[in-house]
Amino acid sequence: MGKLVPHLLFRADPGASPAAALLRSAGYMVSKIDDDDLVEQIAGDDHVDALIIELPALAAIAVGRRIEARYGHSLVVLVITQAPDAVRRSLPSAHTIRPSDVEDDLISTIDLALVAHQMQRTG
């Protein structure tokens, strides 16, 4: 039996995240994690569909690079950042969104990224 809902790892600092709450209310299964090593260990599991990173740009780039080094581009990565251009230069395959656009654009951005990734994998 296939998965019923996409599973997103959500790497963020401890505390409440409006973005994580929004994803959950849209029907995504969200596992919020505040440990880089744990994210790196489980990001490549078959049950994980995407990684959302909500950290300052340099920290997000570091996490994204570790994930890409270990798993290549087998996982959708979306970074919520005030510095999307810097993240795109360092992680060209990552999708980015500004915190001010989360409420309006987060769900459609992750939906489109997941569909595009699935289409690449299946042809």
Side-chain angles (χ1 to χ4, degrees):
M1 184 162 109
K3 293 190 291 187
L4 299 176
V5 297
H7 182 194
L8 309 177
L9 290 184
F10 196 97
R11 172 59 180 98
D13 288 330
S17 167
L22 183 62
L23 290 163
R24 284 186 184 105
S25 69
Y28 285 102
M29 179 174 26
V30 178
S31 297
K32 190 168 179 274
I33 301 172
D34 61 6
D35 180 278
D36 292 344
D37 293 328
L38 183 57
V39 166
E40 186 178 347
Q41 287 175 15
I42 62 176
D45 287 355
D46 288 339
H47 64 86
V48 175
D49 296 295
L51 171 62
I52 312 294
I53 305 171
E54 186 178 37
L55 295 171
L58 291 178
I61 290 167
V63 171
R65 285 184 172 166
R66 286 175 64 181
I67 296 302
E68 284 188 356
R70 185 163 181 175
Y71 301 109
H73 300 289
S74 63
L75 183 69
V76 171
V77 176
L78 177 110
V79 180
I80 300 170
T81 178
Q82 291 286 3
D85 294 333
V87 171
R88 276 189 234 111
R89 281 192 300 276
S90 298
L91 296 169
S93 65
H95 303 270
T96 59
I97 187 171
R98 291 182 180 276
S100 59
D101 296 329
V102 163
E103 191 170 318
D104 293 330
D105 298 333
L106 178 61
I107 302 305
S108 60
T109 301
I110 195 64
D111 284 347
L112 292 170
L114 288 169
V115 167
H117 186 73
Q118 184 63 31
M119 289 176 67
Q120 286 176 353
R121 290 176 49 183
T122 60

